[in-house]
Amino acid sequence: MAGDTYLTIVGNLIADPELRYTNSGAPVANFTVASTPRTFDRETREWKDSETLFMRCSVWRDYAENVAESLTKGARVIVYGRIVQRNWESQQGERRSSVEMQVEEVGPALRFATAKVERAQRGSSSFAGGQNQFGGANAGGGGGFNAAPAGGSQQDPWGTQGSTFDDDPPF
């Protein structure tokens, strides 16, 4: 939406993502990223850590399940999302607020690590059974994530040679 505040944070997960399900069955994963800015002090010729920012993050649906399966405590991540503030009143009548990020994108930071990326294989995916998340049929005959895109193969699920991308789900 116009006027929303978006932010990118690079940091480490302080715990494994917590995967939960709403009463309606929608998965949600919550996790906290710790980001500590470092500056180089030229006088002492040492790196100095500043105050650590702890950002609570949430991600929904299939994305939540992918995050919970892929990321663990200590993982260095890059997170991009919308910042939201929540206001409430405590049981003692005090006004409280918190700030959290509704995640748009998250992935491992690869400066000091490697990662093997695999396309998600979910039989219960919102794309399975020929229906995409917007209610339309997948052009690929209902394969969704379980079928290799045109021009690709099971070994190379993102192969694009000759692909029209008609059978890829809309992200």
Side-chain angles (χ1 to χ4, degrees):
M1 293 187 115
D4 288 344
T5 302
Y6 286 84
L7 186 65
T8 301
I9 297 176
V10 178
N12 297 76
L13 296 186
I14 66 167
D16 290 344
E18 303 164 10
L19 180 62
R20 299 180 185 199
Y21 295 86
T22 65
N23 291 338
S24 64
V28 59
N30 296 301
F31 56 93
T32 301
V33 176
S35 180
T36 307
R38 300 188 91 200
T39 55
F40 187 73
D41 185 334
R42 292 182 185 193
E43 291 178 14
T44 64
R45 303 198 41 84
E46 293 178 344
W47 286 97
K48 304 264 181 174
D49 290 342
S50 300
E51 287 292 318
T52 301
L53 168 70
F54 293 92
M55 180 60 64
R56 190 73 177 154
C57 302
S58 62
V59 61
W60 290 81
R61 297 176 189 67
D62 287 348
Y63 206 170
E65 292 175 333
N66 292 346
V67 165
E69 289 178 24
S70 302
L71 301 176
T72 58
K73 177 181 179 177
R76 187 141 183 95
V77 294
I78 303 169
V79 184
Y80 170 78
R82 184 168 60 99
I83 301 300
V84 294
Q85 180 173 328
R86 303 212 185 281
N87 300 306
W88 74 93
E89 194 171 302
S90 71
Q91 292 178 346
Q92 294 78 22
E94 301 168 321
R95 299 180 108 205
R96 303 279 179 142
S97 67
S98 67
V99 176
E100 72 177 40
M101 178 183 288
Q102 292 180 348
V103 175
E104 295 282 330
E105 295 291 337
V106 60
L110 301 178
R111 178 175 290 180
F112 304 111
T114 61
K116 180 181 177 190
V117 179
E118 296 179 15
R119 197 164 197 177
Q121 301 287 325
R122 289 229 193 315
S124 62
S125 168
S126 59
F127 296 106
Q131 294 293 314
N132 65 29
Q133 66 185 6
F134 304 106
N138 290 331
F145 283 129
N146 295 324
S153 69
Q154 292 297 3
Q155 292 76 30
D156 182 13
W158 287 297
T160 59
Q161 183 177 8
S163 175
T164 61
F165 298 101
D166 287 340
D167 54 353
D168 282 350
F171 295 119

